[in-house]
Amino acid sequence: IAGITQAPTSQILAAGRRMTLRCTQDMRHNAMYWYRQDLGLGLRLIHYSNTAGTTGKGEVPDGYSVSRANTDDFPLTLASAVPSQTSVYFCASSVTGVNEQFFGPGTRLTVL
Amino acid sequence: AQSVTQLGSHVSVSEGALVLLRCNYSSSVPPYLFWYVQYPNQGLQLLLKYTTGATLVKGINGFEAEFKKSETSFHLTKPSAHMSDAAEYFCAVVRSGGSYIPTFGRGTSLIVHP
């Protein structure tokens, strides 16, 4: 059982390029989340999805988009990357919104 | 709106000493409360959670936390620190009702000295 996986593990990206971070879970969880983690700022929610077919904006959604076409996958897209999007990105899932979250190993993204 | 405040970005203790990591929240409705731990270069893992019922919650690795509604607090404690407890700890809140959007504190780095 893999749980929740993220790809790539790390990436260096030129500013202005488009990038999609992948997230897949095999636990059949309804809810999925994307966070960014920056030193001193903790985890900030970018987007979330309470169930397949629905998405919502978190605290810092600007410059990011998501889709939830099925239960397992929740990709995060940066349409035109900027240096301020340099961060570690974590995907998480939970059975429902009030249950504990299971986190992926993270993607370290550097935008130059 | 809800918010989470973790007092102290860094807490330093000696091995064997009491660990106390503070978490205060604001929520207009009864919350669901969580503590997560993050070891270097890893994702977060659940330590313990409070949903309903007993206000003293026991988690993994000897940690426990007490939900105090009157103080809007959910402090994390461990009687005796171990070197392996050195990590980043996050408190999180989810409001009951509504869209169930989670809010995380900024984290507290626990440093354990031999």
Side-chain angles (χ1 to χ4, degrees):
Chain A
I1 297 176
I4 185 164
T5 58
Q6 293 184 236
T9 301
S10 64
Q11 182 76 43
I12 299 174
L13 190 66
R17 297 296 296 270
R18 180 183 180 90
M19 176 73 189
T20 295
L21 308 185
R22 300 184 298 278
C23 175
T24 299
Q25 53 106 357
D26 62 2
M27 298 174 283
R28 308 302 293 172
H29 285 173
N30 289 303
M32 296 187 75
Y33 313 85
W34 273 106
Y35 297 90
R36 59 178 290 172
Q37 184 176 27
D38 303 287
L39 194 64
L41 298 178
L43 281 154
R44 293 183 291 169
L45 183 66
I46 304 171
H47 285 286
Y48 67 97
S49 169
N50 283 330
T51 189
T54 70
T55 62
K57 294 181 179 180
E59 180 184 356
V60 288
D62 294 343
Y64 305 94
S65 63
V66 292
S67 61
R68 187 88 184 275
N70 57 60
T71 297
D72 299 344
D73 301 299
F74 192 45
L76 176 74
T77 297
L78 289 66
S80 180
V82 295
S84 62
Q85 293 177 312
T86 293
S87 186
V88 180
Y89 291 85
F90 286 100
C91 180
S93 70
S94 61
V95 174
T96 69
V98 300
N99 297 102
E100 64 265 34
Q101 296 179 45
F102 293 80
F103 284 79
T107 293
R108 185 174 296 275
L109 181 67
T110 302
V111 183
L112 301 175
Chain B
Q2 62 198 24
S3 66
V4 179
T5 301
Q6 290 185 238
L7 286 176
S9 58
H10 295 82
V11 170
S12 181
V13 300
S14 298
E15 192 173 20
L18 171 72
V19 175
L20 171 60
L21 304 182
R22 300 178 187 273
C23 174
N24 288 88
Y25 67 91
S26 68
S27 177
S28 57
V29 297
Y32 297 89
L33 299 162
F34 305 84
W35 274 101
Y36 292 87
V37 61
Q38 183 182 32
Y39 298 103
N41 299 313
Q42 294 185 24
L44 281 69
Q45 307 169 37
L46 181 73
L47 267 179
L48 49 79
K49 64 180 179 181
Y50 170 80
T51 53
T52 60
T55 56
L56 181 62
V57 180
K58 294 185 184 300
I60 62 171
N61 301 336
F63 284 93
E64 61 183 37
E66 186 171 10
F67 169 55
K68 292 187 176 181
K69 184 178 179 181
S70 62
E71 299 177 7
T72 60
S73 69
F74 192 56
H75 302 331
L76 182 71
T77 60
K78 182 174 181 178
S80 177
H82 192 273
M83 296 296 290
S84 61
D85 294 326
E88 190 86 12
Y89 292 80
F90 292 92
C91 182
V93 173
V94 176
R95 277 184 57 180
S96 57
S99 56
Y100 304 116
I101 298 174
T103 301
F104 280 77
R106 294 192 172 192
T108 298
S109 178
L110 178 64
I111 302 162
V112 182
H113 297 288

